[in-house]
Each structure stands twice: as structure tokens, then as C-alpha cells.
Amino acid sequence: MTRVLSCLQPTGDITLGNYLGAIKHWVDDQSSESFHGVVDLHALTVSVDPEQLRARTLSTALVLLAAGLDPESTCVFVQSHVPEHAQLSWLMTCTVSYGELSRMTQFKDKSDKIGDQGFISAGLFTYPALMAADILLYDAEEVPVGDDQRQHLEITRDIAQRFNSRFGDTFVVPKAAIPKVGARIMDLQDPTSKMSKSADSPQGTVLLLDDAKTLEKKIKRAVTDTDGEVRFDPATKPGLANLLTILAVATGGDPASLAEKYTQYGPLKTDTAAALIEFLRPVHERFAELQANPDYVSKALATGADKARAVASVTLDRAMTNAGLLHR
Ligand code: AQP
């Protein structure tokens, strides 16, 4: 069985992009070798209200369980409950170079957004080291992620290989598993930008927990183009391609074949909204059930933290020993 790890940041409300690009695949492929975390330490790299962070961490964990991760077999945990992440992160910080960190597009994008006058934390610069620790602690062979995470996987592989060549075989070098359809869901109002939790685009961002009416309104108002021809062409018709992709994932079809069934944009939007509402209904129902059962959620997270620590502590110990740190 393949050891799998992938995580989610509690940086905002979970989007349809997070679900289609990542969470759905975690649920479909889950096993006793799957580890999925809510990485709350990453959310501290930008300023955030403590109460809001706590609430988002809990609701993100709830979403993972509502989506169908089974905490009896799959390990579902909160990153800060597993101190090994922060500990290994220092070793990773000392294994990655300033130059490599400077080339990360997420640092450039997020620091540009904050601007020269704002507070750019050192954590926003060094977070790839923490992310490498998140992955390498679990000896993960595969990391199922959306397309935006390619650069993070590359730097993690580079860090693992460098550490292994300096200190001997310590880490499994992981590879990314990126879905064929739905790996990059775009903003409905700006289909050349990725749909994102922290983007300031309320009409362009479909939230996983949007009610049916809101969802329908957002899909129907999605930006398309004016040539009126229905075909799957992400380069020249990104808005339409995005809708066809959403419809394809919701119905288990293929975007190019689905395009052949339509001659007008209106019916495509109507069908996409209807399919999406049905597709998300079970997640909404389960989320409401779990909200009413906080004991179940806290027990699941406590079990997840114990299971995660049992694996992570062994890897951390191996890495510390190989790097030359003295045993107590
Ligand atoms: N638009 C997307 N399409 C497909 N997959 C996506 N993912 C994110 N956006 C899309 C995938 O969701 C997983 C969790 O992402 P994350 O929480 O680690 O952070 P992210 O990739 O930076 O996601 P966001 O929503 O854009 O968050 P913010 O706004 O905080 O930066 C990952 O597997 C990701 O690929």
C-alpha cells in the first residue's frame, strides 16, 4: 500500500478548487497508509486573528471528515498537535538555501500582496522548509495535490535528496500525484487566476459549503466569452473550459466530450450548477451532522494526533541522529 500525505491550510473557507483538486482524491484513495493534516502553523505566516484561526482550523478538520475521510483508518490530524513538524522544520531550514527560497513564487506573490509598508514575516519566506518537514516526517511516497503545488514538491524532493546525500539515507523522496481533470479550478470571475481561499473574489470563488442558491448564482454569472461556440479550449476559452471541467468532475465525465453535447452557454451553466449541487449535497449533510457532534470531531483529532506522532517521532529521531545531534 502506498504511503500518502497531503494537507490543507486553514487560511479561509474551503473552496471548490481545494475539494476537486485535492480533498476528493484523498477521500477516494484513502487507506490506513493515508495521512491528512490541517496545517495551522502555516496559517501563522500572515497575520491572523487567533479566534479566527482556531475556528478555521476546526471547520477545516470538519470539512475533511464531512467529505468522507474515515478517522478509524485514515489519519486526520492538526499540525500543531504534532510538535515533530516544528522540530524537523529547523533541520529542513538548514538544508534549503536562501536562493531556493527566494525563487518560490508563493513568497513573491504573497509578499507583493502585503506590500513594502506591510509586515512580511520570516515565516512567509521559510515556510517551504516547514512544508518539507510536513511531508518527509511520514515517509510519504505520494503527495496528492492540485497543480499549484508542483514547485513545493520539487523543493521538498531537492531538500530530501540533499539531506540524504549529506547524512546518509534518511528520507523517502516523495512524488506529486496530480489529477488529470480538476487539478486547477479557476476563479469564475477571472478564469486566468486560480480559485483560492484567500483571494478577494467572493463571486468568483465557489465555497464548498455555499448553499444551493448561492452556488447556482455564482455559476450562472461565471465569466465566459463572446464567440458563443462551446468547445473545450483552456488556452483561448478559459472560462468555458473551467465550467466544463467542473461539470466533468461532478458527473465523472470528460470535459472535451461534454462540450460536444452543448451548443449554447446557458444550458451548460444550468446543468453545471445542478450537477454541482447534487455532487456536494452529501458533504453538506454530513457537515451539519458533525457540527452537532463536537465530541466525535475532537476524539477523531486526538486519535489522529497520536497516530501521526507515532510515525513522525521515529522519522525525526532518525533525522536528528543522522545529522549529528546528541541523544539524551
Ligand atoms: N483552484 C484549485 N484547483 C485545484 N486544486 C487546488 N488547490 C488549491 N486551490 C486549487 C489544492 O488544494 C490543496 C490545499 O491547498 P492549501 O490549503 O495547502 O493551499 P493552496 O494550494 O495555496 O490553496 P488556496 O486555496 O489557494 O489557499 P491560499 O489562498 O491560502 O493560498 C492543495 O493540494 C492545492 O493544490
Side-chain angles (χ1 to χ4, degrees):
M1 220 177 279
T2 306
R3 174 69 63 82
V4 164
L5 172 124
S6 198
C7 301
L8 198 59
Q9 300 180 68
T11 37
D13 294 325
I14 303 304
T15 72
L16 183 66
N18 299 135
Y19 184 65
L20 299 187
I23 302 169
K24 179 186 177 299
H25 304 280
W26 306 350
V27 172
D28 291 348
D29 300 336
Q30 66 184 311
S31 76
S32 58
E33 292 295 305
S34 306
F35 292 78
H36 295 293
V38 181
V39 286
D40 50 351
L41 299 177
H42 283 280
L44 295 173
T45 57
V46 292
S47 61
V48 57
D49 172 71
E51 281 314 317
Q52 191 177 42
L53 175 59
R54 241 186 301 278
R56 281 178 177 169
T57 301
L58 190 61
S59 74
T60 304
L62 234 76
V63 162
L64 293 183
L65 299 174
L69 288 181
D70 173 6
E72 300 277 320
S73 56
T74 292
C75 178
V76 181
F77 66 97
V78 172
Q79 183 189 34
S80 62
H81 296 173
V82 184
E84 287 79 3
H85 287 252
Q87 289 174 277
L88 185 65
S89 156
W90 180 249
L91 271 69
M92 303 293 92
T93 307
C94 298
T95 311
V96 68
S97 73
Y98 177 83
E100 285 169 316
L101 293 176
S102 309
R103 287 191 288 277
M104 298 304 287
T105 52
Q106 185 165 305
F107 172 70
K108 289 186 224 157
D109 292 349
K110 291 204 170 170
S111 55
D112 282 354
K113 209 163 146 191
I114 294 169
D116 289 344
Q117 305 305 314
F119 180 79
I120 298 172
S121 75
L124 192 61
F125 187 65
T126 60
Y127 80 88
L130 177 59
M131 195 178 250
D134 299 338
I135 298 168
L136 299 179
L137 271 177
Y138 296 92
D139 291 332
E141 298 154 87
E142 270 186 21
V143 186
V145 282
D147 181 58
D148 61 315
Q149 295 292 332
R150 281 181 198 275
Q151 197 185 27
H152 290 133
L153 254 294
E154 276 314 307
I155 198 169
T156 298
R157 288 170 59 83
D158 291 345
I159 293 172
Q161 279 159 348
R162 187 170 303 137
F163 196 99
N164 287 350
S165 79
R166 277 186 191 163
F167 302 118
D169 218 14
T170 308
F171 297 120
V172 172
V173 180
K175 58 179 197 298
I178 295 175
K180 286 199 179 74
V181 183
R184 188 177 283 255
I185 301 297
M186 310 308 276
D187 186 295
L188 297 181
Q189 291 300 313
D190 173 12
T192 57
S193 299
K194 187 191 81 141
M195 188 181 284
S196 210
K197 278 184 236 103
S198 59
D200 188 16
S201 175
Q203 294 313 312
T205 308
V206 177
L207 302 179
L208 184 63
L209 298 174
D210 271 343
D211 61 42
K213 245 193 178 139
T214 308
L215 217 147
E216 186 176 18
K217 208 189 286 173
K218 288 182 183 176
I219 295 284
K220 290 203 167 161
R221 290 189 184 160
V223 166
T224 47
D225 52 58
T226 50
D227 87 5
E229 190 194 339
V230 182
R231 73 193 142 79
F232 182 67
D233 184 352
T236 62
K237 296 168 81 70
L240 203 69
N242 198 32
L243 290 174
L244 286 163
T245 300
I246 294 170
L247 179 62
V249 185
T251 57
D254 157 69
S257 323
L258 283 167
E260 290 167 13
K261 294 191 183 162
Y262 295 91
T263 52
Q264 289 178 314
Y265 296 173
L268 169 65
K269 286 183 170 178
T270 304
D271 286 0
T272 303
L276 200 53
I277 290 165
E278 279 316 304
F279 182 64
L280 298 181
R281 191 187 300 281
V283 181
H284 289 193
E285 286 171 0
R286 181 94 181 110
F287 187 87
E289 279 167 31
L290 289 173
Q291 255 185 330
N293 196 350
D295 279 358
Y296 172 84
V297 179
S298 54
K299 269 195 204 129
L301 293 179
T303 307
D306 289 344
K307 187 173 173 189
R309 287 204 74 180
V311 175
S313 60
V314 174
T315 317
L316 176 67
D317 195 49
R318 189 167 71 231
M320 288 173 69
T321 303
N322 291 357
L325 299 172
L326 190 64
H327 264 292
R328 273 205 308 170

